[in-house]
Amino acid sequence: MRSGGGAEMRLRVLEAITDSRLREFELPELFRTLLSQVRELFSVDTATVLLLDSSGEQLVAKATSGLEEEVFQGVRVPVGAGFAGRVAQLREPVQIERVDESTVANPLLWDRGLRVLLGVPMVAHHGDLAGVLHIGSTEARKFTDEEVSLLQLFADRLAMAAHLHRSASERTAVTVLQDSLLPGRLPSTEGWEMAARYVPGADNHVGGDWYDVLRLPDERIGLVIGDVVGSGLRAAVVMGRLRSALRAYALEFADPAEVLGKLDRKASHFEANTMATVAYAVIEPGTGAMELALAGHLPPVLAVPGEETRHVEAPVGPPVGYNLAVTGRQGVRVEVPDGALLAFYTDGLVERRHLDLDSRMEHLRQVVAATPPETACARIMAALVGDQPSSDDIALLAVRRYLGQSTSP
């Protein structure tokens, strides 16, 4: 070991990775600081961090000391390919004493004159691979077991920083994305009034739930509520793509069942390993007739003045995605009388751990009444959520038909 005895080296490494000042650094500065210390402590010519991309299939050069062109050129290495890809695939240290096209995927490494490389995996505390840290030397040498162990300590510290940064960035990105995709203000249509709620899950922050109200040709109204399986940034991104695709299909096809069929085909082909439940309805404002199609989604609740509130009876087709709809989808026609209210919702409203779904659905039915939509939303959320937050997202859309004067507050 070239930087003093083993005990001294270990002490210096521990001091470097536990420096309290690192907590104040943004991720790029933290990476630069630690990689510079790695080069000094291990007496090497290069130190590089490659982080796993969102697909989990490629490593991307994100920070380096001594090989800056790797970052400038956006070097990407497939997991399993070359030196860094092998470290990621094996999730264990790899040392090579020959650096050329037969051992590494990135020509910058042998162009730099490196003769030996040592790489270790960056694994976050929950077991997820964050990336790879590798060091290189232009001199022939063999890294000791002690050096491998100490480099792994650096990798663990870098992995923790990368994980915390990505988690914070994803939460911010998901929140911004969700806010941008949910309607800021529901459109007003004569004879119809609407209100909505969206509440992120207490456990997963935000995810793939959404609602939408569409102005369609011939003054028709499109009502959408959906739920992408999963949570976090990926679910929110998929939700955004499905929302945009449904809007496009809604302009081309009048039948909600056909629109969901097209959406299913799109999701199955382009959104690998994606599944979502969707309810899509089209209302003819003048007649109050509604065409409704369900893709694995819970049925809306219909409250008509003077009648018992009921769940709308409609055929429930399979969710969109995974090519589940092997046959044509079907919808149902529902008459919405004057004063009637429809409540569309996602499963986060009614599903709770250790509670029977049927009883929760019945509770919802009893709460929904033919009131102004804002009143309906407030009552539903008070009764079904109260002071016990849902672990899943909740989306709720209430729509009421009125032929006389609106009674909304």
Side-chain angles (χ1 to χ4, degrees):
M1 189 170 296
R2 305 187 176 194
S3 298
E8 179 188 349
M9 175 73 161
R10 178 167 289 273
L11 177 60
R12 294 178 66 189
V13 169
L14 291 174
E15 288 176 344
I17 64 176
T18 58
D19 188 341
S20 60
R21 293 174 297 175
L22 296 176
R23 286 177 286 185
E24 307 300 324
F25 291 173
E26 295 293 332
L27 189 66
E29 185 179 5
L30 183 145
F31 276 3
R32 285 194 300 270
T33 300
L34 289 181
L35 290 181
S36 177
Q37 291 175 327
V38 166
R39 280 187 70 187
E40 177 186 352
L41 290 170
F42 289 84
S43 300
V44 291
D45 299 286
T46 64
T48 300
V49 165
L50 299 98
L51 295 182
L52 197 66
D53 70 0
S54 59
S55 73
E57 298 176 354
Q58 290 195 318
L59 296 164
V60 183
K62 288 296 184 180
T64 181
S65 178
L67 198 59
E68 280 67 24
E69 55 266 41
E70 237 189 335
V71 175
F72 299 158
Q73 296 177 24
V75 167
R76 304 178 76 91
V77 179
V79 172
F83 168 69
R86 186 178 168 208
V87 175
Q89 184 179 55
L90 297 176
R91 293 198 178 197
E92 61 183 37
V94 174
Q95 182 173 180
I96 60 173
E97 299 176 19
R98 176 183 176 184
V99 181
D100 57 27
E101 62 271 19
S102 68
T103 56
V104 300
N106 178 14
L108 292 174
L109 296 175
W110 69 76
D111 288 346
R112 177 67 170 76
L114 298 178
R115 299 180 64 181
V116 294
L117 286 170
L118 169 63
V120 292
M122 295 167 51
V123 180
H125 69 279
H126 44 62
D128 290 342
L129 180 71
V132 168
L133 166 64
H134 69 65
I135 56 177
S137 175
T138 57
E139 298 180 10
R141 61 183 286 189
K142 183 174 179 61
F143 295 103
T144 66
D145 290 343
E146 176 72 3
E147 287 174 314
V148 173
S149 174
L150 294 176
L151 187 64
Q152 188 65 66
L153 291 178
F154 270 106
D156 293 343
R157 178 65 179 88
L158 291 165
M160 180 180 68
H163 169 70
L164 293 175
H165 175 78
R166 173 167 289 183
S167 297
S169 298
E170 286 193 0
R171 285 195 296 271
T172 301
V174 170
T175 301
V176 171
L177 179 61
Q178 192 93 41
D179 288 345
S180 69
L181 294 176
L182 293 174
R185 182 176 183 180
L186 297 176
S188 59
T189 301
E190 185 177 356
W192 296 82
E193 52 189 358
M194 308 171 196
R197 297 287 190 275
Y198 172 78
V199 180
D203 292 347
N204 298 316
H205 303 287
V206 287
D209 287 23
W210 89 97
Y211 65 86
D212 205 359
V213 179
L214 316 177
R215 291 183 179 275
L216 299 175
D218 302 324
E219 298 186 347
R220 294 172 299 132
I221 304 170
L223 306 172
V224 185
I225 196 155
D227 182 1
V228 175
V229 174
S231 62
L233 183 57
R234 183 182 181 279
V237 169
V238 171
M239 176 271 286
R241 292 199 286 254
L242 293 183
R243 173 184 179 271
S244 297
L246 191 151
R247 283 187 159 205
Y249 294 134
L251 290 176
E252 298 295 327
F253 305 99
D255 181 7
E258 187 173 6
V259 169
L260 291 186
K262 299 292 184 182
L263 187 67
D264 176 48
R265 184 167 180 239
K266 185 265 185 190
S268 297
H269 185 79
F270 289 110
E271 307 291 349
N273 302 320
T274 288
M275 185 183 297
T277 68
V278 187
Y280 176 45
V282 175
I283 290 176
E284 299 173 4
T287 66
M290 178 180 73
E291 296 288 341
L292 170 69
L294 302 175
H297 205 85
L298 295 170
V301 178
L302 175 62
V304 178
E307 299 181 12
E308 186 176 11
T309 298
R310 60 185 174 88
H311 294 281
V312 175
E313 293 186 6
V316 181
V320 301
Y322 282 100
N323 284 306
L324 296 175
V326 294
T327 60
R329 294 179 179 271
Q330 295 181 326
V332 67
R333 187 177 181 87
V334 180
E335 298 300 327
V336 184
D338 181 28
L341 177 128
L342 284 156
F344 297 81
Y345 53 96
T346 55
D347 57 11
L349 180 68
V350 291
E351 289 187 349
R352 292 293 184 277
R353 296 187 184 97
H354 312 304
L355 293 179
D356 178 64
L357 178 60
D358 288 340
S359 65
R360 294 278 296 175
M361 293 283 285
E362 174 60 18
H363 189 192
L364 173 64
R365 187 193 68 80
Q366 293 174 0
V367 170
V368 177
T371 62
E374 277 294 342
T375 302
C377 285
R379 288 182 56 178
I380 291 169
M381 296 299 287
L384 275 295
V385 180
D387 61 357
Q388 299 296 318
S390 170
S391 60
D392 196 6
D393 295 6
I394 296 173
L396 172 64
L397 175 62
V399 181
R400 178 176 174 264
R401 184 188 185 200
Y402 66 95
L403 296 180
Q405 185 175 358
S406 170
T407 55
S408 291

